[in-house]
Amino acid sequence: MRAALHVDPPLAAIPGVLAAESVRCFQTTLRNPQRFGNTDVPPPEDRAAYLAAVAGDPPWGVVHGSLLINLASPDGRIRNSSASSLLGDLKLARELDLAGVCFHPGYAKGHPDREAALAQAARKITAVLEQAPDGIRALIENTCEGSELCPDLAETARLVRDVGAPPERLGFLLDTCHLHAAGFDLSGAEAGARLADALAAEGLLDRLVAFHLNDCQGPVGCRRDRHGVPGEGSINAGLVSIGRHPAFRGVPAILELAVEDARRGLAYLAREGVLG
């Protein structure tokens, strides 16, 4: 796997952080993740400085969309603001030559059943992709809390099928903490094989773009999104099994942690022969 860090803007500082940590892949945000709107996007001069700094040898990178996104919301204002935010990030990510924008699709709350929520999310994702520029992918991320959509691989695959977009437009980013917390046990020496088989069975393996390779602070099935340092949570050596599996060779492994904590996680993964 390829080591990756989460690094917040300014964008111009990202190449220096990556160089200092000897990492070539990253995730960032392009707006305040707790707000909608375009008031907090990196200004043109920051975007230009980033592009100048990486010219000729750009790192691999993705964007994490706003945490407020709810494309399934029964409230049209929230639904449309979510779509606008995701579309804005897709356009900026394309300008910055990044690989995609990951997002949580939304919630079933407020709908009579999950079927209705999934149908609403599928319609809105389709509309966003119809307006998004070529050369950039929206990346559905699995979830684990409350009534969030896509807590398991089957529902994620269902949403992907309902949207019907090709892999170059709609991909999948797998968060190991979320999946474990939602009830898919990722601990143990066979975790990599079980995960690869499950992804293949659901038609998601070919859409897998990256991992959020987070450990989990709570036990399997806790339904709590609490990221842990690799090797220090309830998944523990299961992350090594995943990282060593041939199906995931070369896939970026983003540690969604503060850089100081991520260093411990990267050191653990490197000692276990996960990072190439």
Side-chain angles (χ1 to χ4, degrees):
M1 304 184 91
R2 292 188 285 166
L5 297 174
H6 179 92
V7 187
D8 286 321
L11 301 177
I14 291 175
V17 173
L18 298 183
E21 304 298 330
S22 300
V23 170
R24 291 285 300 158
C25 303
F26 71 96
Q27 174 180 278
T28 192
T29 57
L30 294 178
R31 64 189 69 239
N32 184 331
Q34 301 292 345
R35 293 181 60 185
F36 285 134
N38 294 311
T39 56
D40 298 307
V41 300
E45 57 270 23
D46 185 33
R47 306 199 299 264
Y50 167 80
L51 289 170
V54 302
D57 189 24
W60 181 94
V62 292
V63 174
H64 200 302
S66 170
L67 298 176
L68 299 182
I69 285 176
N70 183 1
L71 296 165
S73 176
D75 185 326
R77 293 171 300 173
I78 295 174
R79 198 166 60 244
N80 291 332
S81 293
S82 298
S84 177
S85 176
L86 178 57
L87 181 59
D89 276 348
L90 286 164
K91 290 178 176 178
L92 280 174
R94 181 67 187 93
E95 175 190 322
L96 295 164
D97 197 26
L98 302 178
V101 178
C102 72
F103 65 100
H104 302 183
Y107 299 82
K109 184 178 180 180
H111 289 278
D113 51 43
R114 295 186 74 85
E115 291 288 321
L118 285 165
Q120 182 63 78
R123 286 192 293 269
K124 211 62 183 175
I125 293 170
T126 299
V128 168
L129 293 178
E130 288 173 348
Q131 300 175 72
D134 292 336
I136 191 70
R137 278 183 287 195
L139 307 174
I140 294 175
E141 180 181 349
N142 59 299
T143 63
C144 67
E145 293 197 327
S147 72
E148 283 186 302
L149 300 178
C150 301
D152 55 57
L153 299 181
E155 190 165 277
T156 304
R158 157 75 186 279
L159 182 57
V160 168
R161 289 193 301 271
D162 288 351
V163 175
E168 63 269 20
R169 298 293 281 166
L170 183 64
F172 176 47
L173 188 148
L174 193 157
D175 189 304
T176 48
C177 172
H178 296 176
L179 194 61
H180 188 74
F184 189 115
D185 191 349
L186 290 175
S187 64
E190 302 302 319
R194 287 189 287 106
L195 180 59
D197 289 347
L199 288 169
E202 295 292 350
L204 291 172
L205 189 57
D206 291 342
R207 291 184 184 262
L208 181 66
V209 172
F211 280 94
H212 286 159
L213 202 70
N214 303 310
D215 214 322
C216 185
Q217 293 184 27
V220 61
C222 66
R223 305 286 295 191
R224 300 295 292 166
D225 183 4
R226 298 291 182 268
H227 297 170
V229 175
E232 299 180 13
S234 61
I235 303 175
N236 205 298
L239 294 178
V240 175
S241 174
I242 293 167
R244 289 177 177 173
H245 195 280
F248 309 128
R249 184 172 294 120
V251 177
I254 303 161
L255 273 59
E256 288 187 303
L257 302 162
V259 172
E260 296 78 10
D261 293 332
R263 287 192 190 112
R264 297 204 313 278
L266 292 177
Y268 168 75
L269 295 171
R271 285 196 305 271
E272 296 295 334
V274 169
L275 304 176

